[in-house]
Amino acid sequence: MKYKKSVIALLVLSMLGFSGCAENQIPDMTEEEMQAMGEFVAYTLTKYDVGHSSRLMDLPPEENKVPGATPPPAEPAEKTETEPVEDTTVTEAPGVEPEGATDYTAEEVMELPEGVILEYTGQEICDSYPGESEAFAVSATEGKKLLVLKFSITNTLEQEVRVDLLSTEIIYRISVDGERSRRALTTMLPNDMAFYADTLSAGASAEAVLVTEVNAEKAEAIASVTVQIKNESKSHTIQLSDHV
């Protein structure tokens, strides 16, 4: 304390010495004035002391932290992209188009050339198709029968046209009597519609088939058959009314 008072007194004397008074005399000061002057000098010393930090000075953010205090929550970053939406599984009833879906034709879904049409021509219940003696015959498993749905692909144009269903990604699903739909069997039949690829001459038609299995005891009493043709973005449902 004595050291500080001595320094303060020296500073006061120095400041008064350069005050510009003609006689260079120390003016009389009251005790209150001396105390005020001392506080001013003390503040000046601590302000410019490198090892001292004054509460009157602006400190960097790191020095303003209060020990034990919880920092304020950070502002959320501005979103630049839409947040992902949770995946939702949609289950469709057999043969039922999703609400609001566009009514495409079978030709549009199958991407048949303009002028080529698809028609249903009938169905057949059998144990083997086209016959056991055929090289690429399909046989039903035990307790089952084959349900063969027959279609014609017709070129209505006056020139030949190439029809290629093999290179498309079409799914054929079959529902019998309102049961859960199943994919048509994958076969090596030369007229399997899923693998049909040929050139049709003007006005010509070709037969194509879809095959599925049904329970043998119900095979002769089928009431309804539904065929759904689908690709990545389109679908068409065919309700078959006639039966064997």
Side-chain angles (χ1 to χ4, degrees):
M1 288 296 292
K2 291 182 179 180
Y3 173 75
K4 289 186 177 180
K5 289 182 179 179
S6 299
V7 174
I8 292 171
L10 288 174
L11 285 173
V12 172
L13 291 174
S14 299
M15 293 175 63
L16 294 176
F18 292 99
S19 63
C21 294
E23 298 182 357
N24 198 20
Q25 296 180 353
I26 300 174
D28 294 334
M29 299 179 65
T30 65
E31 185 176 350
E32 294 179 356
E33 291 173 336
M34 286 294 291
Q35 184 177 357
M37 179 63 71
E39 291 177 356
F40 169 76
V41 174
Y43 168 70
T44 304
L45 285 174
T46 55
K47 179 178 180 180
Y48 294 102
D49 184 1
V50 177
H52 181 80
S53 297
S54 172
R55 289 179 296 174
L56 301 177
M57 298 171 60
D58 293 331
L59 301 179
E62 292 78 6
E63 298 178 9
N64 281 329
K65 293 181 180 179
V66 179
T70 302
E75 292 292 332
E78 184 177 348
K79 297 180 181 179
T80 56
E81 298 182 359
T82 304
E83 294 184 357
V85 181
E86 295 183 0
D87 292 339
T88 303
T89 303
V90 179
T91 303
E92 298 179 12
V96 178
E97 295 289 338
E99 185 177 353
T102 304
D103 186 19
Y104 295 101
T105 65
E107 290 79 7
E108 289 174 328
V109 177
M110 297 170 67
E111 299 179 356
L112 294 175
E114 189 72 26
V116 176
I117 60 175
L118 178 74
E119 294 179 313
Y120 171 70
T121 58
Q123 60 188 29
E124 179 182 342
I125 297 291
C126 55
D127 295 315
S128 179
Y129 180 85
E132 294 182 358
S133 59
E134 300 290 336
F136 297 103
V138 179
S139 298
T141 57
E142 186 177 355
K144 302 283 187 178
K145 292 280 188 179
L146 295 180
L147 170 61
V148 182
L149 305 177
K150 301 179 181 181
F151 299 84
S152 67
I153 302 174
T154 303
N155 176 18
T156 63
L157 303 178
E158 295 181 357
Q159 67 270 3
E160 67 177 23
V161 64
R162 176 72 177 176
V163 177
D164 185 3
L165 298 178
L166 178 61
S167 62
T168 61
E169 297 182 0
I170 302 172
I171 298 174
Y172 303 92
R173 301 187 68 90
I174 303 172
S175 174
V176 178
D177 289 341
E179 295 180 354
R180 182 181 180 85
S181 64
R182 301 177 181 273
R183 286 198 181 194
L185 296 179
T186 300
T187 74
M188 295 185 65
L189 295 171
N191 61 338
D192 189 320
M193 189 153 65
F195 304 106
Y196 182 84
D198 203 354
T199 299
L200 290 174
S201 58
S205 296
E207 183 183 67
V209 299
L210 294 174
V211 182
T212 189
E213 284 188 325
V214 295
N215 292 328
E217 64 271 15
K218 297 181 179 180
E220 302 299 330
I222 296 175
S224 65
V225 178
T226 300
V227 178
Q228 188 178 48
I229 306 172
K230 300 178 62 177
N231 62 21
E232 291 183 352
S233 59
K234 304 173 184 177
S235 67
H236 177 77
T237 301
I238 304 174
Q239 298 287 348
L240 308 180
S241 56
D242 59 331
H243 56 278
V244 178

